[in-house]
Amino acid sequence: MDLMDVGRIAVGLVLLVTGGELLVRGASALARRVGISSLVVGLTVVSAATSAPELAVTVGAVLRDEPGLAVGNVVGSNIVNVLLILGLSALVLPLAVKQRLVRFDLPLMVVLSIGLLLVSLDGRISAVDGVLLLGAVVVHTVLTVVISRREARVPARAARTGGGSSAADVAGGGEETPPASIGRSLLLVVLGIALLVAGATLLVEGAVSIATGLGVSSLVVGLTVVAVGTSLPELATSVIAVRRGERDLAVGNVVGSNIFNIGVVLGLPAVISPGGIPVSGAAVAFDIPVMLAAAVALLPVAFTGFAVARWEGALFVGLYLAYTGYVVLAATAHDALEGFTAAMAWFVLPLLAMTLVAFTAYEVGLHRGRRNAGRPA
């Protein structure tokens, strides 16, 4: 470790925070100006922008013949996005989840996670697999825009007849302050993306240099240091979005980024790389299933009350810390690995499962009771 690496990390963090603020401000203003919701902007523009570091790192890793880093970066980033980023964002302020997200985007994220596991079973993501993953993202983007425009026509038609708000009001949460011009909004978005990419690049370079100097494998570096580093744009964007009241953008950013990571960040390198991308047995046996489990765990959490509460956010953060602890202990073959694994398998995880089932049943019953109470006798 040297002072240059520490300096890269510090400067990278400053650029990430500044870039996240500019991106959220520009994206929310752009949504209001063109009459679409912040959720759709988060699922498309912001998610693609904040996944740019993952794409750069993965393509570079494939070209340098480091497939472990490429796969570990994407899988680790998706785990970070759900458990750490959504968890921390929910701790700042409970997150609202739209029904459309639960019914369409979250299930697609789960399906893509299952698809990644299936195509990796033979130890390689082939060019054909990459085309399928890319196609899923294209279909998702097209459907997202089409559904958004269809939904925007309803409030717009109601506004013309005096029965509701305009689409711009819906996208902007009913604020009366006029949004910035499209040109200025786009400038903020582009500048925010540039700062996010530069900040993530500096931070990852410094962190990877420190980690590799300690003799850590490329898969572990990808799953931990690089995954967190390249997910910092999502973290900065989501936390800032929550603090600015754009909670739809925060959730949409994470879900859209996970879809983009699997479909484009892994799909595109698989297409352009001769022979596809090799996937290690360790990733297929443990890390990709953990990524899938995190995606599945978000479904009932979002469905009950269509929100991610603070206690659920704390739970997600705790799960991420436990996962990271296991990865580090396994990589270093630490003596505490056996005891840690036994405690997680026989005590923590069963207790967690029972807690989730109990709270889910309680919230579903509460939601059903409120719905029945609102019906006329």
Side-chain angles (χ1 to χ4, degrees), residues 323-338:
Y323 164 75
T324 304
Y326 177 85
V327 170
V328 173
L329 290 176
T332 57
H334 198 277
D335 293 339
L337 176 62
E338 185 175 350

Side-chain angles (χ1 to χ4, degrees), residues 93-116:
L93 190 68
L95 302 177
V97 183
K98 289 289 183 68
Q99 291 188 27
R100 166 256 157 85
L101 194 77
V102 175
R103 294 172 178 171
F104 177 59
D105 303 291
L106 281 177
L108 179 62
M109 183 178 74
V110 173
V111 168
L112 270 178
S113 301
I114 295 173
L116 178 60

Side-chain angles (χ1 to χ4, degrees), residues 263-285:
V264 178
V265 177
L266 271 182
L268 182 60
V271 172
I272 65 177
S273 175
I277 303 176
V279 182
S280 70
V284 175

Side-chain angles (χ1 to χ4, degrees), residues 54-70:
E54 282 95 335
L55 181 60
V57 169
T58 300
V59 172
V62 170
L63 295 177
R64 292 194 308 269
D65 196 25
E66 294 185 19
L69 180 59

Side-chain angles (χ1 to χ4, degrees), residues 129-141 263:
D129 298 332
V131 170
L132 293 175
L133 294 175
L134 279 170
V137 174
V138 172
V139 171
H140 171 257
T141 303

Side-chain angles (χ1 to χ4, degrees), residues 7-17 195-196 198-200 202-203 232:
R8 287 193 186 101
I9 293 174
V11 174
L13 286 172
V14 173
L15 293 179
L16 282 169
V17 174
L195 292 179
L196 286 172
L202 284 174
L203 190 143
L232 283 174

Side-chain angles (χ1 to χ4, degrees), residues 22-50 98 100-101 105 140-141 144-145 148-149 151 171-172 185-186 189 193 237 241 246 248-257 260:
L22 293 178
L23 179 59
V24 170
R25 186 178 300 175
S28 58
L30 187 63
R32 293 173 59 198
R33 175 63 67 176
V34 302
I36 61 176
S37 68
S38 297
L39 172 62
V40 174
V41 174
L43 284 166
T44 54
V45 178
V46 177
S47 64
T50 54
K98 289 289 183 68
R100 166 256 157 85
L101 194 77
D105 303 291
H140 171 257
T141 303
T144 296
V145 175
S148 170
R149 301 305 297 177
E151 291 173 346
S185 301
L186 287 174
V189 169
I193 292 171
T237 302
E246 299 282 355
D248 277 357
L249 194 151
V251 180
N253 172 35
V254 166
V255 174
S257 292
F260 191 88

